[in-house]
Amino acid sequence: MPDIKTALTTALSTWEQDDQRIQQEKQVQKQLPQLFKTTNNVSRETFNYVRDNPKANTKHVCEALGKRGLNPNSVGSLLTQFVKQGQMARDHNNQHITLVPEYTPLKATKKFRSEGKRVNKIVSIKSKPKSEGIAALKVDTTPKVKPSWDVDTVLDTMSIVQARSLYDALKKIFGG
């Protein structure tokens, strides 16, 4: 039969091991299950490449990362986003340099709603009138002819609602 000191030491070490095991199980339970295996991070790779190769132009970065298996179009888009969000700078030769020492994930742009749905923005393109040069300065001297006013023409071009409104207005003016 062991003495009290040995029994107490054994019991305490067993309890500590049990507590450690329970803490580890709780940590495993807190972690979310990984639904997919991350194969690459295009954003991080693009940032690191520009950081390690300053003054590389857009074409060179896209080609180099394309050889590594990344989509060159994605790389080009990411370079633009990094510049817009102030993590990189681009000069007139399309050469990039990083402005921050470490990669930070890109922030969501205003084009996305909080639910994750994309907001489609309708953009109308206004065409510029073609310049006719000096001919545009020509003043039209032809006399303006007023169209002849005819009751039948006016009534034929009106809708029923417009005719009723006209009738009510005339009734107020002339009474009856």
Side-chain angles (χ1 to χ4, degrees), residues 58 61-63 65-67 69-79:
T58 304
V61 174
C62 291
E63 287 176 356
L65 292 177
K67 290 178 183 175
L70 303 178
N71 185 342
N73 295 328
S74 298
V75 172
S77 296
L78 285 167
L79 290 172

Side-chain angles (χ1 to χ4, degrees), residues 19-86:
D19 284 343
Q20 288 175 356
R21 184 180 48 80
I22 291 170
Q23 290 297 329
Q24 287 175 351
E25 288 176 4
K26 284 182 181 179
Q27 286 177 352
V28 169
Q29 289 174 354
K30 286 181 185 177
Q31 294 176 351
L32 296 174
Q34 188 165 356
L35 301 175
F36 62 93
K37 183 180 181 227
T38 304
T39 55
N40 63 12
N41 188 338
V42 180
S43 302
R44 184 180 303 276
E45 289 292 320
T46 303
F47 182 87
N48 289 342
Y49 186 84
V50 173
R51 184 192 61 204
D52 298 339
N53 300 292
K55 298 289 185 182
N57 66 13
T58 304
K59 183 178 178 183
H60 176 73
V61 174
C62 291
E63 287 176 356
L65 292 177
K67 290 178 183 175
R68 292 186 188 179
L70 303 178
N71 185 342
N73 295 328
S74 298
V75 172
S77 296
L78 285 167
L79 290 172
T80 302
Q81 290 302 315
F82 280 126
V83 170
K84 284 183 179 180
Q85 294 191 11

